[in-house]
Amino acid sequence: MRILSGVQSSGQLHLGNYYGAIRQFVKLQDEGEALYFIANLHALTSLRDPVLARKYTFEIALAFLALGVDPRRATLFRHSDIPEVTELYWILGTVVPVSNLESAHSYRDKLENQKIQHPEFGLMAYPVLMAADILLYDTDVVPVGKDQVQHLEFARDWATKFNIAYSPGYDPAKKDSGGLLKLPTARVQAETAVVPGTNGGKMSKSQNNTITLFGTDKEVEKAIKGIKTDSAAVESPKPTENAPLYDLLKLMAPPGEWAAIDAEWKAGGKGYGHFKGKLIESYHATFDGPRKVYAELAANPDEVEKILQAGAQKAREYAAPVIKRVRAAVGL
Ligand code: ADP
Ligand code: TRP
């Protein structure tokens, strides 16, 4: 089984990225051939600062490694080190209906949330590059968050269109009828499908509601203390609906402590400050290990660069037969 996923290097990673994506990547690296990459070409659709672009790319690499992606078991690489991917992106684009791109959820959401009046081609074409990212390696499984599921459906649809156009005898109704491009499957982690942010909405770097994974202690504690709560009195039981603090505690409390915290929450007698203290403790219990590794790696950029170079070489080996097939099929 070949597993592939990527994370955009467009800002600081937060809890949503860990519980919604990276935690799964770490688990999956033992279940097949895993390829993980830093999507720095995608990041260019929202980032126009070359110094920051480089900084975030490096930070995502550190984060992958610190959170448990093991370069001996998984292939870790930078998007921009794989020229084959932009080639496939172009070729695939020749079978992509523009109407799919215009109506894509993530595209429509971005236009609306960020009040973009005159969108650029790159933003709209993003799902085509993402499909190329996946199809280039004969990927079987793509672990992603719920918001990415439509992109996976596009990848399957366009691969099917490509196969119909270019694979003699291909029949989309038949399984394993030997198309040039392999159809991937999304894997969404159900129990943590959406991690809430400090204001109760989906945690997202564009919403200013994140708790970061590798910010300073002070930043993290400030974010946790700012989690929105209602006006329930200290002595009353606390509601469990629309309560981001409760949801985050459930996610992060050490397994042996959750039952007691849950009981305290429902019993009343403790204020929200107490529970925020518990969340800060749980955060440190979970992430202090990775945070230490992150700092050590940050002090050894050459070592990280070596890992990325070796990863890119391996990824290009996986890509070589696919791009060769595709070039031959279309007549290049
Ligand atoms: P952001 O919304 O902060 O821009 P990205 O879109 O870069 O985050 O997401 C990277 C990965 O992390 C994706 O797989 C996405 O589904 C996952 N992810 C991001 N935020 C959350 C969240 N709040 N809950 C669950 N998963 C999330
Ligand atoms: N679009 C994904 C996100 O925003 C990141 C990504 C880019 C990706 N290419 C990918 C994820 C390929 C999985 C497979 O989270």
Side-chain angles (χ1 to χ4, degrees):
M1 182 174 69
R2 200 166 283 171
I3 302 149
L4 171 129
S5 200
V7 171
Q8 271 199 71
S9 48
S10 49
Q12 283 194 307
L13 287 180
H14 53 73
L15 293 177
N17 300 135
Y18 179 65
Y19 289 103
I22 298 172
R23 183 169 65 163
Q24 260 196 107
F25 301 172
V26 175
K27 273 193 208 136
L28 280 171
Q29 67 189 346
D30 294 319
E31 286 183 32
E33 275 172 330
L35 290 98
Y36 299 129
F37 70 99
I38 303 136
N40 61 344
L41 291 176
H42 284 295
L44 296 180
T45 60
S46 61
L47 191 65
R48 286 203 186 148
D49 178 332
V51 175
L52 265 189
R54 239 175 246 119
K55 176 171 179 280
Y56 289 151
T57 303
F58 182 62
E59 286 178 0
I60 304 293
L62 295 179
F64 268 125
L65 294 166
L67 291 166
V69 169
D70 176 354
R72 285 164 303 185
R73 290 183 283 165
T75 303
L76 179 66
F77 61 100
R78 230 174 344 224
H79 208 189
S80 58
D81 287 340
I82 315 295
E84 292 82 357
V85 79
T86 41
E87 184 174 0
L88 181 59
Y89 158 72
W90 177 256
I91 297 172
L92 191 66
T94 62
V95 302
V96 171
V98 171
S99 58
N100 285 173
L101 302 179
E102 283 169 338
S103 61
H105 305 318
S106 70
Y107 176 65
R108 307 282 351 155
D109 289 351
K110 268 182 205 141
L111 297 195
E112 201 178 316
N113 296 340
Q114 295 163 34
K115 310 245 177 307
I116 300 174
Q117 303 266 357
H118 303 288
E120 272 90 16
F121 166 78
L123 187 66
M124 186 162 127
Y126 184 112
V128 187
L129 182 56
M130 178 159 165
D133 294 337
I134 296 166
L135 301 171
L136 181 60
Y137 308 99
D138 279 338
T139 302
D140 297 294
V141 172
V142 185
V144 279
K146 219 162 93 193
D147 57 329
Q148 298 295 316
V149 170
Q150 191 188 36
H151 290 155
L152 261 291
E153 285 163 5
F154 284 151
R156 293 175 62 91
D157 288 351
W158 302 334
T160 304
K161 276 190 191 302
F162 185 87
N163 289 344
I164 291 171
Y166 290 112
S167 312
Y170 179 77
D171 177 355
K174 276 198 213 124
K175 240 187 146 205
D176 304 323
S177 79
L180 284 157
L181 295 176
K182 191 171 202 174
L183 305 197
T185 310
R187 186 175 301 181
V188 181
Q189 191 161 304
E191 75 263 29
T192 49
V194 173
V195 177
T198 54
N199 62 357
K202 174 185 177 248
M203 187 176 288
S204 171
K205 63 184 158 308
S206 59
Q207 300 299 311
N208 233 326
N209 65 356
T210 64
I211 299 168
T212 60
L213 293 167
F214 299 105
T216 64
D217 286 358
K218 232 176 153 177
E219 282 161 3
V220 167
E221 288 174 21
K222 187 167 167 231
I224 291 178
K225 287 183 180 148
I227 294 173
K228 197 172 126 197
T229 52
D230 65 9
S231 52
V234 170
E235 55 278 8
S236 51
K238 307 291 179 287
T240 55
E241 297 291 318
N242 296 323
L245 179 57
Y246 181 78
D247 293 336
L248 289 168
L249 271 167
K250 190 169 175 182
L251 203 55
M252 262 192 292
E257 288 175 33
W258 170 241
I261 296 173
D262 187 34
E264 263 187 328
W265 184 278
K266 290 170 179 162
K270 293 273 203 288
Y272 284 123
H274 166 77
F275 293 107
K276 286 179 178 175
K278 286 276 174 212
L279 188 62
I280 291 170
E281 277 171 31
S282 301
Y283 176 95
H284 285 297
T286 312
F287 294 111
D288 278 357
R291 286 160 69 84
K292 190 163 161 257
V293 178
Y294 185 98
E296 285 162 8
L297 286 168
N300 284 298
D302 292 349
E303 194 188 319
V304 176
E305 184 58 31
K306 253 192 230 148
I307 293 171
L308 294 177
Q309 297 278 345
Q313 198 183 339
K314 212 159 143 212
R316 293 187 71 189
E317 283 164 20
Y318 287 122
V322 181
I323 199 73
K324 193 168 167 211
R325 275 195 322 257
V326 167
R327 292 186 64 126
V330 299
L332 297 177

Coordinates of all heavy atoms in Angstrom, one line a residue, residues 8 146 245:
Q8 N 0.7 22.1 3.8 CA 1.1 23.4 3.2 C 2.0 24.2 4.2 O 1.7 24.2 5.4 CB -0.1 24.3 3.0 CG -0.7 24.1 1.7 CD -1.6 25.3 1.5 OE1 -1.1 26.4 1.3 NE2 -2.9 25.1 1.5
K146 N -11.3 16.4 6.8 CA -12.6 16.3 6.1 C -12.7 17.4 4.9 O -13.3 17.1 3.9 CB -13.7 16.6 7.1 CG -15.0 15.8 6.9 CD -15.8 15.9 8.1 CE -16.9 16.9 8.1 NZ -17.5 17.2 9.4
L245 N -13.4 24.4 25.1 CA -12.4 24.0 26.2 C -12.7 22.5 26.5 O -11.7 21.8 26.7 CB -12.7 24.9 27.4 CG -11.8 24.6 28.6 CD1 -10.3 24.7 28.3 CD2 -12.1 25.6 29.7

